[in-house]
Amino acid sequence: MSTRALRIWEHGEVEAVQLPDTQAAQIRELAHLVGGPTDTGMYHRQAVLHLHGTGAVAQDLQFNASAWALASAWRGLGIAYGLYGPIVVTGPGDPGGGYGALSSHLEAQVHDVCAAVSDVHAEWRARSPAGEVAARAELLATARHQVSVA
């Protein structure tokens, strides 16, 4: 039986992916999905973010604004560093050592936050933010709103 996970692409699209049953196979598949060795981040007690583990600069990865906004909203504050490249979101580890599926509630939050961030990016084509600090604040406010209503 496979585990459903969500991949957040740098441009904000969310894709459902299936992870294999075993821990070793999951680790290989996660590395394939993010494009290299993975690191994990816990920003919510019921979710794990799997991201590229060798560094954004070395790999020329793009900033993932949707994943950053989601992680920041789950953490309750804007995280001070960026998240780069495609990111996979799973549920927490299971007793067998692999990763479980996200709850439907958290899946909805991932989709809602990513859609809202895409909407903000579309608005910025007509109205640029006042700078990076203002842009991050707007993304965080948007994500917090989506997490609070989902």
Side-chain angles (χ1 to χ4, degrees), residues 1-42:
M1 182 175 178
S2 62
T3 299
R4 180 181 160 96
L6 297 176
R7 177 167 37 183
I8 304 171
W9 290 98
E10 297 95 317
H11 56 278
E13 181 183 340
V14 178
E15 172 188 18
V17 296
Q18 297 297 322
L19 297 178
D21 305 349
T22 66
Q23 179 184 16
Q26 281 186 355
I27 291 169
R28 284 190 302 275
E29 183 63 13
L30 286 165
H32 171 73
L33 291 169
V34 301
T38 60
D39 277 341
T40 58
M42 295 286 298

PDB file of all heavy atoms in Angstrom, residues 1-42:
ATOM      1  N   MET A   1       0.847  -1.185   0.000  1.00  0.00           N
ATOM      2  CA  MET A   1       0.000   0.000   0.000  1.00  0.00           C
ATOM      3  C   MET A   1       0.887   1.241   0.000  1.00  0.00           C
ATOM      4  O   MET A   1       1.804   1.355   0.803  1.00  0.00           O
ATOM      5  CB  MET A   1      -0.892  -0.032   1.231  1.00  0.00           C
ATOM      6  CG  MET A   1      -1.833   1.104   1.332  1.00  0.00           C
ATOM      7  SD  MET A   1      -2.888   0.806   2.767  1.00  0.00           S
ATOM      8  CE  MET A   1      -3.818   2.260   2.699  1.00  0.00           C
ATOM      9  N   SER A   2       0.648   2.172  -0.887  1.00  0.00           N
ATOM     10  CA  SER A   2       1.485   3.361  -0.980  1.00  0.00           C
ATOM     11  C   SER A   2       0.920   4.497  -0.120  1.00  0.00           C
ATOM     12  O   SER A   2      -0.219   4.454   0.331  1.00  0.00           O
ATOM     13  CB  SER A   2       1.606   3.807  -2.440  1.00  0.00           C
ATOM     14  OG  SER A   2       0.339   4.143  -2.947  1.00  0.00           O
ATOM     15  N   THR A   3       1.749   5.496   0.101  1.00  0.00           N
ATOM     16  CA  THR A   3       1.392   6.658   0.904  1.00  0.00           C
ATOM     17  C   THR A   3       1.256   7.869  -0.007  1.00  0.00           C
ATOM     18  O   THR A   3       2.153   8.169  -0.787  1.00  0.00           O
ATOM     19  CB  THR A   3       2.491   6.938   1.953  1.00  0.00           C
ATOM     20  OG1 THR A   3       2.600   5.800   2.802  1.00  0.00           O
ATOM     21  CG2 THR A   3       2.172   8.160   2.774  1.00  0.00           C
ATOM     22  N   ARG A   4       0.150   8.563   0.115  1.00  0.00           N
ATOM     23  CA  ARG A   4      -0.070   9.773  -0.665  1.00  0.00           C
ATOM     24  C   ARG A   4       0.688  10.933  -0.026  1.00  0.00           C
ATOM     25  O   ARG A   4       0.654  11.130   1.186  1.00  0.00           O
ATOM     26  CB  ARG A   4      -1.565  10.083  -0.714  1.00  0.00           C
ATOM     27  CG  ARG A   4      -1.925  11.311  -1.506  1.00  0.00           C
ATOM     28  CD  ARG A   4      -3.431  11.504  -1.446  1.00  0.00           C
ATOM     29  NE  ARG A   4      -3.819  12.845  -1.754  1.00  0.00           N
ATOM     30  CZ  ARG A   4      -4.212  13.244  -2.952  1.00  0.00           C
ATOM     31  NH1 ARG A   4      -4.273  12.385  -3.939  1.00  0.00           N
ATOM     32  NH2 ARG A   4      -4.560  14.491  -3.157  1.00  0.00           N
ATOM     33  N   ALA A   5       1.372  11.718  -0.857  1.00  0.00           N
ATOM     34  CA  ALA A   5       2.085  12.911  -0.413  1.00  0.00           C
ATOM     35  C   ALA A   5       1.789  14.016  -1.425  1.00  0.00           C
ATOM     36  O   ALA A   5       1.225  13.764  -2.490  1.00  0.00           O
ATOM     37  CB  ALA A   5       3.589  12.636  -0.348  1.00  0.00           C
ATOM     38  N   LEU A   6       2.187  15.235  -1.101  1.00  0.00           N
ATOM     39  CA  LEU A   6       1.991  16.367  -2.010  1.00  0.00           C
ATOM     40  C   LEU A   6       3.333  16.998  -2.324  1.00  0.00           C
ATOM     41  O   LEU A   6       4.130  17.251  -1.416  1.00  0.00           O
ATOM     42  CB  LEU A   6       1.060  17.413  -1.382  1.00  0.00           C
ATOM     43  CG  LEU A   6      -0.362  16.961  -1.081  1.00  0.00           C
ATOM     44  CD1 LEU A   6      -1.131  18.068  -0.367  1.00  0.00           C
ATOM     45  CD2 LEU A   6      -1.086  16.534  -2.347  1.00  0.00           C
ATOM     46  N   ARG A   7       3.572  17.262  -3.620  1.00  0.00           N
ATOM     47  CA  ARG A   7       4.786  17.976  -4.034  1.00  0.00           C
ATOM     48  C   ARG A   7       4.370  19.390  -4.397  1.00  0.00           C
ATOM     49  O   ARG A   7       3.466  19.599  -5.190  1.00  0.00           O
ATOM     50  CB  ARG A   7       5.453  17.295  -5.217  1.00  0.00           C
ATOM     51  CG  ARG A   7       6.673  18.072  -5.704  1.00  0.00           C
ATOM     52  CD  ARG A   7       7.583  17.352  -6.667  1.00  0.00           C
ATOM     53  NE  ARG A   7       6.910  16.506  -7.627  1.00  0.00           N
ATOM     54  CZ  ARG A   7       7.549  15.745  -8.518  1.00  0.00           C
ATOM     55  NH1 ARG A   7       8.865  15.718  -8.558  1.00  0.00           N
ATOM     56  NH2 ARG A   7       6.879  14.998  -9.363  1.00  0.00           N
ATOM     57  N   ILE A   8       5.078  20.374  -3.802  1.00  0.00           N
ATOM     58  CA  ILE A   8       4.854  21.789  -4.108  1.00  0.00           C
ATOM     59  C   ILE A   8       5.984  22.240  -5.019  1.00  0.00           C
ATOM     60  O   ILE A   8       7.154  22.264  -4.621  1.00  0.00           O
ATOM     61  CB  ILE A   8       4.847  22.653  -2.825  1.00  0.00           C
ATOM     62  CG1 ILE A   8       3.807  22.143  -1.828  1.00  0.00           C
ATOM     63  CG2 ILE A   8       4.597  24.115  -3.188  1.00  0.00           C
ATOM     64  CD1 ILE A   8       3.889  22.807  -0.466  1.00  0.00           C
ATOM     65  N   TRP A   9       5.641  22.579  -6.247  1.00  0.00           N
ATOM     66  CA  TRP A   9       6.630  23.066  -7.206  1.00  0.00           C
ATOM     67  C   TRP A   9       6.949  24.528  -6.918  1.00  0.00           C
ATOM     68  O   TRP A   9       6.172  25.233  -6.288  1.00  0.00           O
ATOM     69  CB  TRP A   9       6.099  22.913  -8.630  1.00  0.00           C
ATOM     70  CG  TRP A   9       6.029  21.487  -9.067  1.00  0.00           C
ATOM     71  CD1 TRP A   9       4.934  20.674  -9.058  1.00  0.00           C
ATOM     72  CD2 TRP A   9       7.114  20.695  -9.562  1.00  0.00           C
ATOM     73  NE1 TRP A   9       5.269  19.427  -9.518  1.00  0.00           N
ATOM     74  CE2 TRP A   9       6.598  19.411  -9.837  1.00  0.00           C
ATOM     75  CE3 TRP A   9       8.463  20.942  -9.793  1.00  0.00           C
ATOM     76  CZ2 TRP A   9       7.382  18.382 -10.339  1.00  0.00           C
ATOM     77  CZ3 TRP A   9       9.241  19.916 -10.295  1.00  0.00           C
ATOM     78  CH2 TRP A   9       8.708  18.655 -10.566  1.00  0.00           C
ATOM     79  N   GLU A  10       8.074  24.999  -7.413  1.00  0.00           N
ATOM     80  CA  GLU A  10       8.517  26.373  -7.163  1.00  0.00           C
ATOM     81  C   GLU A  10       7.505  27.408  -7.635  1.00  0.00           C
ATOM     82  O   GLU A  10       7.391  28.473  -7.047  1.00  0.00           O
ATOM     83  CB  GLU A  10       9.863  26.659  -7.846  1.00  0.00           C
ATOM     84  CG  GLU A  10      11.000  25.812  -7.339  1.00  0.00           C
ATOM     85  CD  GLU A  10      11.224  24.574  -8.185  1.00  0.00           C
ATOM     86  OE1 GLU A  10      10.250  23.896  -8.575  1.00  0.00           O
ATOM     87  OE2 GLU A  10      12.401  24.277  -8.468  1.00  0.00           O
ATOM     88  N   HIS A  11       6.763  27.124  -8.689  1.00  0.00           N
ATOM     89  CA  HIS A  11       5.778  28.079  -9.209  1.00  0.00           C
ATOM     90  C   HIS A  11       4.433  27.950  -8.507  1.00  0.00           C
ATOM     91  O   HIS A  11       3.480  28.634  -8.869  1.00  0.00           O
ATOM     92  CB  HIS A  11       5.635  27.908 -10.728  1.00  0.00           C
ATOM     93  CG  HIS A  11       5.263  26.520 -11.141  1.00  0.00           C
ATOM     94  ND1 HIS A  11       6.200  25.522 -11.270  1.00  0.00           N
ATOM     95  CD2 HIS A  11       4.076  25.958 -11.412  1.00  0.00           C
ATOM     96  CE1 HIS A  11       5.588  24.392 -11.620  1.00  0.00           C
ATOM     97  NE2 HIS A  11       4.301  24.637 -11.707  1.00  0.00           N
ATOM     98  N   GLY A  12       4.327  27.086  -7.490  1.00  0.00           N
ATOM     99  CA  GLY A  12       3.140  27.000  -6.658  1.00  0.00           C
ATOM    100  C   GLY A  12       2.175  25.884  -6.978  1.00  0.00           C
ATOM    101  O   GLY A  12       1.222  25.654  -6.229  1.00  0.00           O
ATOM    102  N   GLU A  13       2.391  25.168  -8.076  1.00  0.00           N
ATOM    103  CA  GLU A  13       1.502  24.054  -8.403  1.00  0.00           C
ATOM    104  C   GLU A  13       1.680  22.948  -7.369  1.00  0.00           C
ATOM    105  O   GLU A  13       2.787  22.671  -6.917  1.00  0.00           O
ATOM    106  CB  GLU A  13       1.831  23.514  -9.795  1.00  0.00           C
ATOM    107  CG  GLU A  13       0.953  22.371 -10.227  1.00  0.00           C
ATOM    108  CD  GLU A  13       1.353  21.815 -11.589  1.00  0.00           C
ATOM    109  OE1 GLU A  13       2.043  22.517 -12.358  1.00  0.00           O
ATOM    110  OE2 GLU A  13       0.978  20.671 -11.872  1.00  0.00           O
ATOM    111  N   VAL A  14       0.571  22.306  -7.001  1.00  0.00           N
ATOM    112  CA  VAL A  14       0.597  21.197  -6.055  1.00  0.00           C
ATOM    113  C   VAL A  14       0.249  19.924  -6.820  1.00  0.00           C
ATOM    114  O   VAL A  14      -0.735  19.876  -7.553  1.00  0.00           O
ATOM    115  CB  VAL A  14      -0.411  21.404  -4.906  1.00  0.00           C
ATOM    116  CG1 VAL A  14      -0.400  20.218  -3.958  1.00  0.00           C
ATOM    117  CG2 VAL A  14      -0.108  22.688  -4.163  1.00  0.00           C
ATOM    118  N   GLU A  15       1.071  18.910  -6.631  1.00  0.00           N
ATOM    119  CA  GLU A  15       0.904  17.635  -7.324  1.00  0.00           C
ATOM    120  C   GLU A  15       0.835  16.511  -6.296  1.00  0.00           C
ATOM    121  O   GLU A  15       1.688  16.411  -5.418  1.00  0.00           O
ATOM    122  CB  GLU A  15       2.101  17.419  -8.253  1.00  0.00           C
ATOM    123  CG  GLU A  15       2.169  16.082  -8.902  1.00  0.00           C
ATOM    124  CD  GLU A  15       3.479  15.855  -9.648  1.00  0.00           C
ATOM    125  OE1 GLU A  15       4.474  16.574  -9.408  1.00  0.00           O
ATOM    126  OE2 GLU A  15       3.492  14.934 -10.469  1.00  0.00           O
ATOM    127  N   ALA A  16      -0.189  15.673  -6.406  1.00  0.00           N
ATOM    128  CA  ALA A  16      -0.274  14.493  -5.547  1.00  0.00           C
ATOM    129  C   ALA A  16       0.688  13.441  -6.083  1.00  0.00           C
ATOM    130  O   ALA A  16       0.761  13.211  -7.289  1.00  0.00           O
ATOM    131  CB  ALA A  16      -1.696  13.944  -5.532  1.00  0.00           C
ATOM    132  N   VAL A  17       1.457  12.841  -5.190  1.00  0.00           N
ATOM    133  CA  VAL A  17       2.402  11.782  -5.560  1.00  0.00           C
ATOM    134  C   VAL A  17       2.200  10.608  -4.611  1.00  0.00           C
ATOM    135  O   VAL A  17       1.675  10.766  -3.504  1.00  0.00           O
ATOM    136  CB  VAL A  17       3.870  12.271  -5.513  1.00  0.00           C
ATOM    137  CG1 VAL A  17       4.122  13.359  -6.552  1.00  0.00           C
ATOM    138  CG2 VAL A  17       4.249  12.772  -4.131  1.00  0.00           C
ATOM    139  N   GLN A  18       2.608   9.442  -5.047  1.00  0.00           N
ATOM    140  CA  GLN A  18       2.500   8.238  -4.229  1.00  0.00           C
ATOM    141  C   GLN A  18       3.905   7.790  -3.813  1.00  0.00           C
ATOM    142  O   GLN A  18       4.792   7.691  -4.655  1.00  0.00           O
ATOM    143  CB  GLN A  18       1.813   7.117  -5.012  1.00  0.00           C
ATOM    144  CG  GLN A  18       0.380   7.428  -5.398  1.00  0.00           C
ATOM    145  CD  GLN A  18      -0.537   7.601  -4.205  1.00  0.00           C
ATOM    146  OE1 GLN A  18      -0.432   6.911  -3.198  1.00  0.00           O
ATOM    147  NE2 GLN A  18      -1.447   8.563  -4.305  1.00  0.00           N
ATOM    148  N   LEU A  19       4.072   7.553  -2.528  1.00  0.00           N
ATOM    149  CA  LEU A  19       5.335   7.039  -2.002  1.00  0.00           C
ATOM    150  C   LEU A  19       5.193   5.538  -1.773  1.00  0.00           C
ATOM    151  O   LEU A  19       4.130   5.066  -1.362  1.00  0.00           O
ATOM    152  CB  LEU A  19       5.699   7.722  -0.683  1.00  0.00           C
ATOM    153  CG  LEU A  19       5.949   9.220  -0.737  1.00  0.00           C
ATOM    154  CD1 LEU A  19       6.248   9.747   0.661  1.00  0.00           C
ATOM    155  CD2 LEU A  19       7.086   9.552  -1.680  1.00  0.00           C
ATOM    156  N   PRO A  20       6.269   4.784  -1.999  1.00  0.00           N
ATOM    157  CA  PRO A  20       6.216   3.336  -1.765  1.00  0.00           C
ATOM    158  C   PRO A  20       6.021   3.000  -0.288  1.00  0.00           C
ATOM    159  O   PRO A  20       6.062   3.866   0.576  1.00  0.00           O
ATOM    160  CB  PRO A  20       7.564   2.837  -2.270  1.00  0.00           C
ATOM    161  CG  PRO A  20       8.345   4.024  -2.669  1.00  0.00           C
ATOM    162  CD  PRO A  20       7.532   5.246  -2.486  1.00  0.00           C
ATOM    163  N   ASP A  21       5.867   1.704  -0.027  1.00  0.00           N
ATOM    164  CA  ASP A  21       5.575   1.223   1.334  1.00  0.00           C
ATOM    165  C   ASP A  21       6.757   1.295   2.282  1.00  0.00           C
ATOM    166  O   ASP A  21       6.608   1.666   3.426  1.00  0.00           O
ATOM    167  CB  ASP A  21       5.133  -0.246   1.307  1.00  0.00           C
ATOM    168  CG  ASP A  21       3.969  -0.490   0.388  1.00  0.00           C
ATOM    169  OD1 ASP A  21       3.362   0.472  -0.074  1.00  0.00           O
ATOM    170  OD2 ASP A  21       3.680  -1.666   0.132  1.00  0.00           O
ATOM    171  N   THR A  22       7.922   0.911   1.830  1.00  0.00           N
ATOM    172  CA  THR A  22       9.048   0.730   2.747  1.00  0.00           C
ATOM    173  C   THR A  22       9.844   2.018   2.936  1.00  0.00           C
ATOM    174  O   THR A  22       9.894   2.876   2.058  1.00  0.00           O
ATOM    175  CB  THR A  22      10.004  -0.359   2.240  1.00  0.00           C
ATOM    176  OG1 THR A  22      10.613   0.085   1.032  1.00  0.00           O
ATOM    177  CG2 THR A  22       9.265  -1.667   2.006  1.00  0.00           C
ATOM    178  N   GLN A  23      10.492   2.120   4.094  1.00  0.00           N
ATOM    179  CA  GLN A  23      11.275   3.299   4.418  1.00  0.00           C
ATOM    180  C   GLN A  23      12.382   3.537   3.389  1.00  0.00           C
ATOM    181  O   GLN A  23      12.560   4.651   2.912  1.00  0.00           O
ATOM    182  CB  GLN A  23      11.879   3.160   5.820  1.00  0.00           C
ATOM    183  CG  GLN A  23      12.730   4.341   6.222  1.00  0.00           C
ATOM    184  CD  GLN A  23      13.404   4.142   7.564  1.00  0.00           C
ATOM    185  OE1 GLN A  23      13.484   3.029   8.092  1.00  0.00           O
ATOM    186  NE2 GLN A  23      13.884   5.226   8.140  1.00  0.00           N
ATOM    187  N   ALA A  24      13.133   2.507   3.041  1.00  0.00           N
ATOM    188  CA  ALA A  24      14.240   2.671   2.087  1.00  0.00           C
ATOM    189  C   ALA A  24      13.718   3.138   0.734  1.00  0.00           C
ATOM    190  O   ALA A  24      14.302   4.033   0.112  1.00  0.00           O
ATOM    191  CB  ALA A  24      15.011   1.359   1.937  1.00  0.00           C
ATOM    192  N   ALA A  25      12.622   2.569   0.274  1.00  0.00           N
ATOM    193  CA  ALA A  25      12.048   2.976  -1.013  1.00  0.00           C
ATOM    194  C   ALA A  25      11.502   4.400  -0.931  1.00  0.00           C
ATOM    195  O   ALA A  25      11.614   5.169  -1.889  1.00  0.00           O
ATOM    196  CB  ALA A  25      10.955   1.997  -1.435  1.00  0.00           C
ATOM    197  N   GLN A  26      10.939   4.776   0.215  1.00  0.00           N
ATOM    198  CA  GLN A  26      10.454   6.148   0.378  1.00  0.00           C
ATOM    199  C   GLN A  26      11.599   7.151   0.306  1.00  0.00           C
ATOM    200  O   GLN A  26      11.483   8.191  -0.340  1.00  0.00           O
ATOM    201  CB  GLN A  26       9.710   6.305   1.712  1.00  0.00           C
ATOM    202  CG  GLN A  26       8.311   5.772   1.696  1.00  0.00           C
ATOM    203  CD  GLN A  26       7.572   6.070   2.990  1.00  0.00           C
ATOM    204  OE1 GLN A  26       8.126   6.597   3.958  1.00  0.00           O
ATOM    205  NE2 GLN A  26       6.294   5.710   3.018  1.00  0.00           N
ATOM    206  N   ILE A  27      12.709   6.840   0.943  1.00  0.00           N
ATOM    207  CA  ILE A  27      13.865   7.745   0.925  1.00  0.00           C
ATOM    208  C   ILE A  27      14.359   7.943  -0.505  1.00  0.00           C
ATOM    209  O   ILE A  27      14.634   9.062  -0.927  1.00  0.00           O
ATOM    210  CB  ILE A  27      14.983   7.220   1.858  1.00  0.00           C
ATOM    211  CG1 ILE A  27      14.527   7.351   3.313  1.00  0.00           C
ATOM    212  CG2 ILE A  27      16.297   7.956   1.620  1.00  0.00           C
ATOM    213  CD1 ILE A  27      15.408   6.644   4.311  1.00  0.00           C
ATOM    214  N   ARG A  28      14.460   6.863  -1.276  1.00  0.00           N
ATOM    215  CA  ARG A  28      14.885   6.971  -2.682  1.00  0.00           C
ATOM    216  C   ARG A  28      13.892   7.802  -3.488  1.00  0.00           C
ATOM    217  O   ARG A  28      14.280   8.655  -4.279  1.00  0.00           O
ATOM    218  CB  ARG A  28      15.044   5.590  -3.305  1.00  0.00           C
ATOM    219  CG  ARG A  28      16.293   4.853  -2.879  1.00  0.00           C
ATOM    220  CD  ARG A  28      16.530   3.598  -3.717  1.00  0.00           C
ATOM    221  NE  ARG A  28      15.424   2.659  -3.669  1.00  0.00           N
ATOM    222  CZ  ARG A  28      15.252   1.730  -2.724  1.00  0.00           C
ATOM    223  NH1 ARG A  28      16.139   1.615  -1.750  1.00  0.00           N
ATOM    224  NH2 ARG A  28      14.219   0.909  -2.762  1.00  0.00           N
ATOM    225  N   GLU A  29      12.596   7.564  -3.286  1.00  0.00           N
ATOM    226  CA  GLU A  29      11.575   8.286  -4.046  1.00  0.00           C
ATOM    227  C   GLU A  29      11.544   9.764  -3.668  1.00  0.00           C
ATOM    228  O   GLU A  29      11.401  10.625  -4.526  1.00  0.00           O
ATOM    229  CB  GLU A  29      10.194   7.648  -3.844  1.00  0.00           C
ATOM    230  CG  GLU A  29       9.091   8.290  -4.648  1.00  0.00           C
ATOM    231  CD  GLU A  29       9.261   8.185  -6.161  1.00  0.00           C
ATOM    232  OE1 GLU A  29      10.112   7.400  -6.645  1.00  0.00           O
ATOM    233  OE2 GLU A  29       8.541   8.903  -6.880  1.00  0.00           O
ATOM    234  N   LEU A  30      11.694  10.070  -2.389  1.00  0.00           N
ATOM    235  CA  LEU A  30      11.730  11.475  -1.966  1.00  0.00           C
ATOM    236  C   LEU A  30      12.911  12.202  -2.602  1.00  0.00           C
ATOM    237  O   LEU A  30      12.775  13.345  -3.057  1.00  0.00           O
ATOM    238  CB  LEU A  30      11.776  11.578  -0.441  1.00  0.00           C
ATOM    239  CG  LEU A  30      10.459  11.260   0.266  1.00  0.00           C
ATOM    240  CD1 LEU A  30      10.694  11.024   1.755  1.00  0.00           C
ATOM    241  CD2 LEU A  30       9.446  12.361   0.034  1.00  0.00           C
ATOM    242  N   ALA A  31      14.070  11.566  -2.652  1.00  0.00           N
ATOM    243  CA  ALA A  31      15.242  12.167  -3.301  1.00  0.00           C
ATOM    244  C   ALA A  31      14.955  12.423  -4.778  1.00  0.00           C
ATOM    245  O   ALA A  31      15.320  13.473  -5.315  1.00  0.00           O
ATOM    246  CB  ALA A  31      16.466  11.273  -3.133  1.00  0.00           C
ATOM    247  N   HIS A  32      14.293  11.495  -5.419  1.00  0.00           N
ATOM    248  CA  HIS A  32      13.924  11.676  -6.821  1.00  0.00           C
ATOM    249  C   HIS A  32      12.946  12.846  -6.980  1.00  0.00           C
ATOM    250  O   HIS A  32      13.090  13.677  -7.888  1.00  0.00           O
ATOM    251  CB  HIS A  32      13.298  10.385  -7.363  1.00  0.00           C
ATOM    252  CG  HIS A  32      12.689  10.526  -8.705  1.00  0.00           C
ATOM    253  ND1 HIS A  32      13.436  10.654  -9.853  1.00  0.00           N
ATOM    254  CD2 HIS A  32      11.388  10.570  -9.091  1.00  0.00           C
ATOM    255  CE1 HIS A  32      12.616  10.788 -10.890  1.00  0.00           C
ATOM    256  NE2 HIS A  32      11.373  10.738 -10.447  1.00  0.00           N
ATOM    257  N   LEU A  33      11.970  12.967  -6.093  1.00  0.00           N
ATOM    258  CA  LEU A  33      10.933  13.996  -6.195  1.00  0.00           C
ATOM    259  C   LEU A  33      11.450  15.407  -5.948  1.00  0.00           C
ATOM    260  O   LEU A  33      10.933  16.367  -6.508  1.00  0.00           O
ATOM    261  CB  LEU A  33       9.782  13.684  -5.237  1.00  0.00           C
ATOM    262  CG  LEU A  33       8.941  12.457  -5.586  1.00  0.00           C
ATOM    263  CD1 LEU A  33       8.010  12.098  -4.431  1.00  0.00           C
ATOM    264  CD2 LEU A  33       8.152  12.680  -6.869  1.00  0.00           C
ATOM    265  N   VAL A  34      12.473  15.554  -5.088  1.00  0.00           N
ATOM    266  CA  VAL A  34      13.018  16.895  -4.824  1.00  0.00           C
ATOM    267  C   VAL A  34      14.272  17.177  -5.641  1.00  0.00           C
ATOM    268  O   VAL A  34      14.793  18.285  -5.619  1.00  0.00           O
ATOM    269  CB  VAL A  34      13.281  17.153  -3.319  1.00  0.00           C
ATOM    270  CG1 VAL A  34      12.018  16.999  -2.512  1.00  0.00           C
ATOM    271  CG2 VAL A  34      14.407  16.308  -2.787  1.00  0.00           C
ATOM    272  N   GLY A  35      14.786  16.178  -6.356  1.00  0.00           N
ATOM    273  CA  GLY A  35      15.921  16.402  -7.239  1.00  0.00           C
ATOM    274  C   GLY A  35      17.279  16.235  -6.595  1.00  0.00           C
ATOM    275  O   GLY A  35      18.278  16.745  -7.099  1.00  0.00           O
ATOM    276  N   GLY A  36      17.367  15.547  -5.491  1.00  0.00           N
ATOM    277  CA  GLY A  36      18.652  15.328  -4.836  1.00  0.00           C
ATOM    278  C   GLY A  36      18.452  14.817  -3.430  1.00  0.00           C
ATOM    279  O   GLY A  36      17.324  14.541  -3.011  1.00  0.00           O
ATOM    280  N   PRO A  37      19.531  14.696  -2.684  1.00  0.00           N
ATOM    281  CA  PRO A  37      19.406  14.220  -1.300  1.00  0.00           C
ATOM    282  C   PRO A  37      18.479  15.144  -0.518  1.00  0.00           C
ATOM    283  O   PRO A  37      18.413  16.340  -0.795  1.00  0.00           O
ATOM    284  CB  PRO A  37      20.833  14.275  -0.764  1.00  0.00           C
ATOM    285  CG  PRO A  37      21.598  15.111  -1.714  1.00  0.00           C
ATOM    286  CD  PRO A  37      20.881  15.097  -3.024  1.00  0.00           C
ATOM    287  N   THR A  38      17.757  14.583   0.454  1.00  0.00           N
ATOM    288  CA  THR A  38      16.744  15.368   1.153  1.00  0.00           C
ATOM    289  C   THR A  38      17.123  15.690   2.587  1.00  0.00           C
ATOM    290  O   THR A  38      17.845  14.949   3.243  1.00  0.00           O
ATOM    291  CB  THR A  38      15.396  14.617   1.180  1.00  0.00           C
ATOM    292  OG1 THR A  38      15.572  13.376   1.843  1.00  0.00           O
ATOM    293  CG2 THR A  38      14.854  14.395  -0.204  1.00  0.00           C
ATOM    294  N   ASP A  39      16.622  16.817   3.029  1.00  0.00           N
ATOM    295  CA  ASP A  39      16.574  17.191   4.436  1.00  0.00           C
ATOM    296  C   ASP A  39      15.098  17.257   4.797  1.00  0.00           C
ATOM    297  O   ASP A  39      14.249  17.398   3.909  1.00  0.00           O
ATOM    298  CB  ASP A  39      17.196  18.567   4.681  1.00  0.00           C
ATOM    299  CG  ASP A  39      18.706  18.517   4.816  1.00  0.00           C
ATOM    300  OD1 ASP A  39      19.253  17.433   5.075  1.00  0.00           O
ATOM    301  OD2 ASP A  39      19.342  19.576   4.641  1.00  0.00           O
ATOM    302  N   THR A  40      14.795  17.189   6.071  1.00  0.00           N
ATOM    303  CA  THR A  40      13.408  17.313   6.496  1.00  0.00           C
ATOM    304  C   THR A  40      13.258  18.505   7.421  1.00  0.00           C
ATOM    305  O   THR A  40      14.193  18.899   8.115  1.00  0.00           O
ATOM    306  CB  THR A  40      12.916  16.047   7.231  1.00  0.00           C
ATOM    307  OG1 THR A  40      13.759  15.813   8.357  1.00  0.00           O
ATOM    308  CG2 THR A  40      12.927  14.846   6.316  1.00  0.00           C
ATOM    309  N   GLY A  41      12.081  19.076   7.395  1.00  0.00           N
ATOM    310  CA  GLY A  41      11.741  20.187   8.273  1.00  0.00           C
ATOM    311  C   GLY A  41      10.386  19.942   8.900  1.00  0.00           C
ATOM    312  O   GLY A  41       9.460  19.496   8.225  1.00  0.00           O
ATOM    313  N   MET A  42      10.292  20.195  10.192  1.00  0.00           N
ATOM    314  CA  MET A  42       9.023  20.048  10.923  1.00  0.00           C
ATOM    315  C   MET A  42       8.506  21.449  11.241  1.00  0.00           C
ATOM    316  O   MET A  42       9.084  22.141  12.073  1.00  0.00           O
ATOM    317  CB  MET A  42       9.234  19.267  12.214  1.00  0.00           C
ATOM    318  CG  MET A  42       9.655  17.819  12.015  1.00  0.00           C
ATOM    319  SD  MET A  42       8.353  16.737  11.447  1.00  0.00           S
ATOM    320  CE  MET A  42       7.179  16.822  12.777  1.00  0.00           C
TER     321      MET A  42
END
